[in-house]
Amino acid sequence: MTDQTLSAMPTVRDRYAAAYAASGENGISAAIRAVLGAIRRYAWMAVGIVGAAIALALVVTMLDTPRFTATSSVQINDQSDEVLGGEFETQIAPPSDWDIDRFLNTQLDVLRSRALAERVADGLDLANDERFFGAMEVAPQSVPTEEREKRKLAIDLLQDNTTVELRRSTRIALVAFSSTDAEITARIANAFAEEFIQQNLQRRFDSSAYARNFVAEQLEEARASLEQSEAALNDYARQTGLIRTRDAFAPTGPELATGTVTSSSLLQYNQAAIRAREARIAAQSRWDAVRNAPLLSSQPVLSNPTIQALMTRRAQLESELQVARERYLAGHPATSRLEGDLAAVNGQLTRTANEVRQSIRSEYLAAEAAEKRLEGQVSEARGATLAEQDQSVRYNVLAREADTARSIYDGLLQRYRELNASAGIASSNITIIDRAEVPGDPSSPSLPRNLAIGLLIGLALAGVAIFLRDQLDDVIHTPEDVEEKLGLSLLGVVPRAEDQSPLEALAEPKSPIAEAYNSMRGALLYSTPTGLPKVIVVTSAQAAEGKSTTSFAIAVGLARIGIAPLLIDADLRRPALHKLVGISSERGLTDLLIAQGEPGDVATRVKHGETEFDLLPAGPLPPSPTELLSSPRMAQLLESFSQRYGVVIVDSPPILGLADAPMLAAIADGTIFVVEAERGHSGALKAALRRLRSMEPTILGAALAKFDPSRSGNRYSAYYGYDYYSYTDKQGRGAA
C-alpha cells in the first residue's frame, strides 16, 4: 500500500461522522435520546423526588384545616347612564359587541375592588366580629385593638379570600368566598353580591345627583342671562321709543310690519289706501259711465228702483192717455188729467235721474278725496317706519339674545323638573341568579387535588434536578461524550465483560469485546496518512482504566492479521502485563534501560489462543522510573524495536501525578488515550490531556473502555453491534 493511497483514505473522525450521519439521526432525535438517557441514569433520584413531593402533599393535606367555599352568581347586563336628556343628552353608551369583554372585565374588577370589600366589611360589621376573625384563622392576640386597624385587617382578609370569575361565553359572574366557618362563608358571599348591586345603584343615584346639581347651576346661570338680556332689550326700547306689539320678531316679510306700533300702522294705512284706491276706481268708472251718456240711457240710472218704478208708471200713463185720446176729444178732462199726470211723472223721472247721476258723482268725489287722504297717511307712516328700522337693528340683536336665553332657560327648567321627578327611581343592571348556600362539605384540603399537585411539582423538581445533574455531570458515559467533552476522535468502544474476564472474552472471536478491539484495530490501520504508526503509546488519566488490557488486545489483534507486534510494559511502578499472561517479570525493560543488553534476550514469546507475539515485561521496579523512561536509552530502544517489529505497543503509566506517560508520548509515533466509562470526569481527563499535549505528542484518539450500554440506553447497544452475534446465534438455531 503506497503513501499516496494511505493519504487518500479517510481519517477515523471522518469515518465515524459519516457512519453517524448514515444512521439517519438528526438533532431532535439525538436530543430526545439524550433526555431519555439522562432519565434512565437518574431514575432512582427522580423516583425519590417525586415520592417525597407526594408524601409532603399527603402530610400537608392531613395537617391543613378544612375550609368551606360558598359561591353566589350574578348576571351582569349592559348599562346606559343618562346625565342629561333631550337634545342636551350625554350618555355612557353600553359596550358594543367587540368591546363586551372589556365591559365585563371592568365589572369583575369592580367586584374585586377594595371599595366593595369596604362596603361588605362595614355592612356586616366584620371589624367587630370575633367569629369572623376566628373563621379566617386569625389568632385573638393578633387582632389589632384600634378600630381603624381592625377594619383594615378585615378588608384585607375579604380581598385575599374572595375569588371572582366569569363563566365562559356568558354574563354570569361567580363570587366565591372561603373560610373555616361555613355559615360566615355563605353570608359573606351573599353580601358581596348584594353590596355589588347596591354600589351600582348608589353610583347611579350619585350620577343623578350630580346631574341635578349641574342642571341647577346651569339653570341659575341661564336665568341671570335671561334677565340681563330682557333688561337690556327693554332699556333700549325705552330709550328709542320702540313699542313692540308681539314677542317674536322676524327680519323680513309681513311679520316685520306687525312687530311695532309704527310698522303696524303703516300696514293698516297701506291696506286702507289700497281699498280706497279700489273704491275710487270703481266710483270713477260708474261716473264716467253716466257723465257723457243720455240721462235715462246709462245702466246705473236705469238700475235704480225709483227710476224703474217711475218709468213703469210713465208707460202706464202713456198707455191710458193713448186710449183716452182715441176715446175723447182734445181738451177732454180725462185726457187733460192723464196728460197732467204724465207730465208730472216725466218731471219726477228727470229729477230722480239727475239725483242718481249726482249721487254717482258725489260718490266718486268722496272716494277720490279718501284716496288722497290715505295716501298722505301712508307716506307719513312709511317715513316713520324707515326711521324706525334703523333703530330696530340693535333691538333685533338684543331680542335674539333674549329669545335664545329664554329657550335655554325653558329647556333647562324642564330637564330639572324631570330629574327631580326621577331622582328616586333607579333600576340595576345587576341581578342575583343564585344565592350562596351554607356548604355542607369542605372545599379544601382536597386529597386527590393535592396529590396531583404534589405529583406535578415532584415531576417538575425531578426534571430540574435531572437537568442540573446532567449539566453538572462531567463523567464520560457514552461514546458521544468522548468527542463532545474531550474533543478527541473515538477509536473504539469496548464493552464491559460481565460473565468472564476480558482476556477470556478476547479469545472468542465473535464476542462483543473481540469485535470491539477488531474495530479499533481497523481504525488504527488508517489512523494516520501513512497508515499504522510504528510506535504506539497506550495511556490513561488514572490507573485501572483498562489501558493494559487495551494494549494487550491491540497486540493480539495486529498479530492475527500478520503484523508482528512487540508489547512493552513501560509501567515501572505497577506493571500488569506479565500478570495477564502469567509470565515472570524478573527481567524486562528495566534491564535494557540500565544495561546494554540485546532486546531479544529479554522479550518473551507469549501465546493467546492461536496467536503468538513478543512481550517485553517491565522487569525489576527501579527507584526512579521517570529518569529511566526519559533517558536517551529509551528512545534508542524504541527506534531499534520499530525496525525489528511491525509495530511497537507501549503500555505506559497513567498521566495524572506522573511524568512518565507524557515523556513516552513525546517519542512515540502515536498515542492512544484510554477512558473508562462511568468513571472518568472530563475535568480530570482534560487536565491529563493538557499535560499530555504539553509534550506535543501525536494523539491518535481515545478508546472508551468498560462501556455498559444498558446504563446509557438500549440505543447504544444496538448501534455499536454488541448484540449482533447473540442475535445471529438465535436466528441460526431458530433456522435449524
Side-chain angles (χ1 to χ4, degrees), residues 45-222:
M45 180 184 68
V47 171
I49 293 175
V50 173
I54 294 176
L56 181 61
L58 180 61
V59 172
V60 170
T61 302
M62 296 303 178
L63 297 179
D64 194 9
T65 303
R67 298 177 65 86
F68 298 88
T69 300
T71 303
S72 61
S73 60
V74 295
Q75 179 180 349
I76 304 175
N77 299 318
D78 295 344
Q79 62 179 359
S80 178
D81 294 338
E82 295 184 358
V83 177
L84 293 176
E87 60 186 56
F88 303 100
E89 186 175 1
T90 301
Q91 292 185 347
I92 301 176
S96 58
D97 292 339
W98 62 268
D99 203 27
I100 190 64
D101 290 339
R102 182 181 299 178
F103 168 74
L104 293 177
N105 289 330
T106 300
Q107 299 302 313
L108 294 183
D109 288 341
V110 173
L111 278 169
R112 301 187 187 100
S113 65
R114 185 174 182 84
L116 185 60
E118 291 175 354
R119 292 179 63 94
V120 173
D122 296 339
L124 299 179
D125 194 18
L126 298 180
N128 299 317
D129 191 347
E130 297 181 356
R131 182 178 177 183
F132 167 72
F133 289 110
M136 304 312 298
E137 300 180 274
V138 178
Q141 59 272 18
S142 300
V143 179
T145 56
E146 296 183 4
E147 189 68 23
R148 180 179 178 182
E149 295 298 327
K150 290 170 63 177
R151 181 175 180 272
K152 181 178 181 299
L153 177 60
I155 294 172
D156 292 339
L157 292 173
L158 286 177
Q159 285 190 290
D160 295 339
N161 293 272
T162 302
T163 58
V164 179
E165 63 178 3
L166 187 69
R167 286 180 178 173
R168 185 177 180 86
S169 301
T170 67
R171 297 172 185 245
I172 305 299
L174 303 179
V175 184
F177 185 79
S178 300
S179 72
T180 59
D181 192 317
E183 182 179 350
I184 287 182
T185 298
R187 183 155 56 98
I188 292 178
N190 289 325
F192 263 98
E194 295 168 356
E195 292 297 335
F196 181 46
I197 296 177
Q198 293 299 323
Q199 184 187 48
N200 181 65
L201 295 176
Q202 183 65 40
R203 181 176 61 82
R204 289 170 175 264
F205 180 81
D206 293 342
S207 176
S208 176
Y210 170 78
R212 292 196 306 275
N213 295 333
F214 175 77
V215 172
E217 294 175 359
Q218 296 298 316
L219 184 63
E220 182 62 24
E221 294 179 2

Side-chain angles (χ1 to χ4, degrees), residues 719-735:
Y719 179 77
Y720 289 104
Y722 301 140
D723 296 334
Y724 176 74
Y725 288 103
S726 61
Y727 170 75
T728 304
D729 292 341
K730 294 177 182 178
Q731 293 296 323
R733 288 193 296 271

Side-chain angles (χ1 to χ4, degrees), residues 444-635:
S444 66
S446 174
L447 181 60
R449 182 180 61 186
N450 289 351
L451 291 180
I453 294 175
L455 177 61
L456 293 177
I457 294 176
L459 292 175
L461 293 177
V464 172
I466 290 175
F467 174 78
L468 294 177
R469 181 69 181 273
D470 185 68
Q471 293 297 314
L472 298 176
D473 184 13
D474 62 348
V475 177
I476 304 299
H477 298 284
T478 64
E480 284 80 1
D481 292 341
V482 175
E483 296 185 357
E484 294 177 0
K485 297 181 179 180
L486 301 180
L488 296 177
S489 59
L490 186 64
L491 294 175
V493 180
V494 181
R496 181 183 297 275
E498 300 293 343
D499 301 331
Q500 54 188 349
S501 66
L503 294 184
E504 293 176 350
L506 188 62
E508 299 179 5
K510 294 185 179 181
S511 66
I513 291 180
E515 288 297 327
Y517 281 117
N518 289 339
S519 176
M520 189 184 302
R521 177 189 63 195
L524 289 174
L525 291 176
Y526 305 102
S527 59
T528 66
T530 59
L532 181 67
K534 297 295 290 185
V535 179
I536 300 176
V537 172
V538 181
T539 186
S540 63
Q542 305 176 68
E545 289 196 59
K547 59 180 179 56
S548 298
T549 303
T550 300
S551 302
F552 185 83
I554 292 174
V556 172
L558 293 176
R560 285 178 179 173
I561 63 174
I563 299 176
L566 174 62
L567 179 59
I568 301 176
D569 191 350
D571 190 352
L572 302 183
R573 288 177 172 82
R574 295 175 60 184
L577 289 179
H578 67 284
K579 297 178 182 179
L580 291 178
V581 298
I583 63 174
S584 174
S585 185
E586 294 180 357
R587 298 188 62 194
L589 179 61
T590 305
D591 297 321
L592 295 178
L593 293 175
I594 295 175
Q596 298 295 327
E598 292 294 331
D601 300 336
V602 182
T604 303
R605 194 71 175 176
V606 297
K607 184 176 182 181
H608 183 75
E610 299 179 356
T611 306
E612 295 183 356
F613 60 92
D614 291 342
L615 185 147
L616 180 61
L621 300 181
S624 180
T626 303
E627 295 178 359
L628 293 179
L629 295 177
S630 60
S631 64
R633 175 63 177 169
M634 184 64 187

Side-chain angles (χ1 to χ4, degrees), residues 376-397:
Q377 294 294 332
V378 168
S379 297
E380 293 178 3
R382 183 180 296 111
T385 302
L386 291 175
E388 189 180 64
Q389 284 182 351
D390 296 335
Q391 299 173 347
S392 298
V393 173
R394 175 61 179 168
Y395 183 90
N396 290 338
V397 173

Side-chain angles (χ1 to χ4, degrees), residues 686-734:
K686 289 180 180 179
L689 287 173
R690 282 195 298 270
R691 291 196 60 194
L692 186 63
R693 286 175 175 145
S694 64
M695 304 302 294
E696 299 183 357
T698 300
I699 302 178
L700 302 177
L704 185 63
K706 303 180 184 180
F707 176 65
D708 186 2
S710 62
R711 297 189 59 181
S712 301
N714 296 331
R715 172 250 177 192
Y716 297 104
S717 175
Y719 179 77
Y720 289 104
Y722 301 140
D723 296 334
Y724 176 74
Y725 288 103
S726 61
Y727 170 75
T728 304
D729 292 341
K730 294 177 182 178
Q731 293 296 323
R733 288 193 296 271

